[in-house]
Amino acid sequence: MICPGFIDIHNHLPQHAFAGIGEKELLPWLKKYVFPREKMFKNKEVAKESAKRFFEDLIENGTTTTLTYTTIHPSATDIAFECANKSKIRAILGKVMMDQNSPSFLTEKTQESLRSLLELIDKWHGFDGRLFYALTPRFAITCSMELMKEIGEIARLKDVYVQTHLSENQEEIKFIRALFPKCKNYTDVYNQAGLLGPKTIMTHAIHLNDEEIRLLKTSKTKIAHCPTSNRFLTSGIMSFRKYNKKGLEMGLGTDVAGGYSLSMFNEMKEAIESSKCLYYFSEGKSGSPMTPSEAFYLATLGGAKALSMEHEIGSLEKGKKADFLIIDPQKIDPMKSHSIYTKPEQILSKLIYRGDRTCIKHVYSGGKKVK
Ligand SMILES: [Zn+2]
């Protein structure tokens, strides 16, 4: 079987090391696991080894395009780009920015934070037509309005991506209300900072009201749906059907290590199963659950659209870059030679539910074999 390479539109390179270790909620988890680990990326050897393993794992899992957070360290981000370049896959990376409410060892001065990234943008954005830069304010709790407004200016000036987190956890939302009393809601914080737009990817976006949905829709801002992480950190279940009906554009993100695996097979399964939970507990009011073909779309062409790359990747069509996977059908269906379940939707369902890294025999990126 041949399938388009997967597109993971949200994950964190430095967190790969502790994938699988959760905590009940987001904010204590950040303090206990994320910040101490990200501090280690000041050390270039740690940064190098971690980036190398991260890209190897992405490829093993059939991911040929990734949108990824690094840490606040410019040197570690530069190293991550070097490793992405060597890996031959497509990558959009960004140095995390945070100038408030962060541990002292991860707090930057606002101007210093801005200076260091211009060099990275000039060096890497558009490199080999395969590597791109994403401005990466971690989330509004750790970023001053001054910093976010400057980021918005740079995004327009340099035509780069923007990625950040939005409305993931109830405690987080309470904190945002207290921090930005002049903003109407969480999405409005980013709106007032000038960060919404077609090249902006907002991650999670679970607890949005109608006004926030409208803001995202009119600004053509994209959503990274991270169902595994949303359950793993007890954040909630995003209403896929509601956003889908409102016409929001979405892709899937593993959010390692809020999510425990870089497997997009796993992410597709979780996306469908969590939408079934929502359907059950809302007694059908949430609208019909996600179908396997919708999950597959989000992991491929939907992700490509979210990254404005749908003319190049996301499906197998003449003229596109050849990013694809060769899958061993025997691994998915041991009874294949006798199978009577041969309709496309049956084969797709089996692929999603029974697929994992072991069924991916070869991975091609831009026509070059990378696994
Ligand atoms: Zn994240």
Side-chain angles (χ1 to χ4, degrees):
M1 291 164 75
I2 302 179
C3 142
F6 294 132
I7 299 171
D8 182 349
I9 68 166
H10 183 72
N11 54 54
H12 300 253
L13 185 156
Q15 298 175 18
H16 187 222
F18 60 87
I21 308 173
E23 188 75 8
K24 207 174 99 206
E25 298 217 20
L26 173 71
L27 300 178
W29 176 76
L30 282 172
K31 278 197 188 119
K32 192 166 168 185
Y33 291 104
V34 176
F35 295 150
R37 170 70 185 154
E38 294 197 1
K39 180 187 176 188
M40 293 170 70
F41 278 64
K42 206 175 164 187
N43 180 320
K44 289 183 183 174
E45 282 311 308
V46 172
K48 201 169 173 181
E49 188 60 20
S50 306
K52 189 172 162 276
R53 290 186 185 273
F54 177 78
F55 284 102
E56 280 168 5
D57 200 14
L58 281 173
I59 292 171
E60 282 296 313
N61 280 292
T63 295
T64 51
T65 300
T66 182
L67 173 58
T68 299
Y69 282 50
T70 61
T71 59
I72 65 158
H73 310 98
S75 58
T77 307
D78 191 53
I79 289 168
F81 269 112
E82 297 275 5
C83 288
N85 186 32
K86 276 191 200 135
S87 79
K88 305 263 192 303
I89 67 169
R90 257 162 261 287
I92 308 169
L93 310 180
K95 183 194 98 62
V96 168
M97 300 169 82
M98 42 213 278
D99 68 343
Q100 64 176 25
N101 298 314
S102 314
S104 58
F105 52 83
L106 288 180
T107 305
E108 309 166 287
K109 297 225 165 55
T110 309
Q111 289 308 319
E112 171 194 337
S113 175
L114 293 166
R115 250 195 320 273
S116 62
L117 61 83
L118 292 173
E119 231 170 272
L120 287 166
I121 294 174
D122 290 341
K123 182 170 176 189
W124 292 110
H125 187 62
F127 190 92
D128 196 26
R130 200 163 49 77
L131 304 179
F132 298 93
Y133 197 86
L135 295 165
T136 309
R138 180 183 284 278
F139 63 158
I141 287 180
T142 61
C143 299
S144 65
M145 187 50 95
E146 182 198 348
L147 177 64
M148 289 191 287
K149 282 188 172 167
E150 297 260 19
I151 292 171
E153 283 297 314
I154 297 173
R156 278 181 289 282
L157 207 70
K158 298 278 184 183
D159 192 29
V160 291
Y161 292 91
V162 175
Q163 59 175 345
T164 190
H165 298 95
L166 168 67
S167 201
E168 175 177 4
N169 170 287
Q170 295 293 359
E171 289 302 313
E172 171 205 15
I173 295 167
K174 263 191 231 162
F175 200 164
I176 292 286
R177 256 188 232 124
L179 272 178
F180 302 96
K182 287 184 188 150
C183 299
K184 280 186 257 174
N185 49 54
Y186 199 161
T187 308
D188 190 42
V189 174
Y190 294 130
N191 181 41
Q192 291 199 21
L195 288 178
L196 303 184
K199 285 183 90 170
T200 296
I201 293 90
M202 287 287 169
T203 301
H204 303 293
I206 304 171
H207 313 283
L208 303 181
N209 63 31
D210 287 346
E211 196 183 326
E212 294 183 276
I213 294 171
R214 230 179 356 259
L215 270 176
L216 296 179
K217 166 81 180 153
T218 51
S219 60
K220 299 192 169 75
T221 302
K222 312 303 194 310
I223 292 179
H225 179 28
C226 304
T228 306
S229 165
N230 293 349
R231 295 209 299 189
F232 193 61
L233 293 177
T234 339
S235 304
I237 298 179
M238 191 200 85
S239 182
F240 164 75
R241 185 59 63 210
K242 183 174 176 183
Y243 296 177
N244 175 252
K245 278 192 179 152
K246 300 260 185 191
L248 293 183
E249 285 191 24
M250 294 171 268
L252 282 183
T254 58
D255 192 23
V256 155
Y260 47 79
S261 164
L262 284 174
S263 167
M264 291 295 281
F265 284 117
N266 181 70
E267 210 56 44
M268 287 187 276
K269 284 190 264 280
E270 287 270 357
I272 303 167
E273 296 308 301
S274 61
S275 78
K276 286 180 190 169
C277 286
L278 196 62
Y279 176 80
Y280 177 81
F281 287 110
S282 71
E283 297 178 340
K285 289 192 195 81
S286 66
S288 57
M290 186 187 290
T291 63
S293 61
E294 283 174 323
F296 188 70
Y297 174 82
L298 292 182
T300 54
L301 194 54
K305 272 194 168 174
L307 302 178
S308 313
M309 291 181 174
E310 70 272 25
H311 303 298
E312 293 196 297
I313 56 171
S315 58
L316 303 175
E317 286 172 74
K318 193 175 171 184
K320 284 196 173 184
K321 309 270 188 204
D323 291 4
F324 61 93
L325 318 176
I326 306 285
I327 292 183
D328 180 356
Q330 207 70 34
K331 284 260 164 65
I332 293 157
D333 187 356
M335 302 286 287
K336 195 186 167 293
S337 50
H338 309 89
S339 184
I340 53 166
Y341 310 106
T342 53
K343 288 184 182 157
E345 60 271 26
Q346 292 169 336
I347 295 170
L348 183 63
S349 188
K350 265 189 177 286
L351 176 67
I352 290 172
Y353 279 97
R354 295 180 51 83
D356 61 23
R357 61 197 295 158
T358 64
C359 74
I360 303 171
K361 279 176 75 175
H362 306 293
V363 178
Y364 286 80
S365 172
K368 291 190 189 97
K369 193 164 160 180
V370 294
K371 172 182 172 177

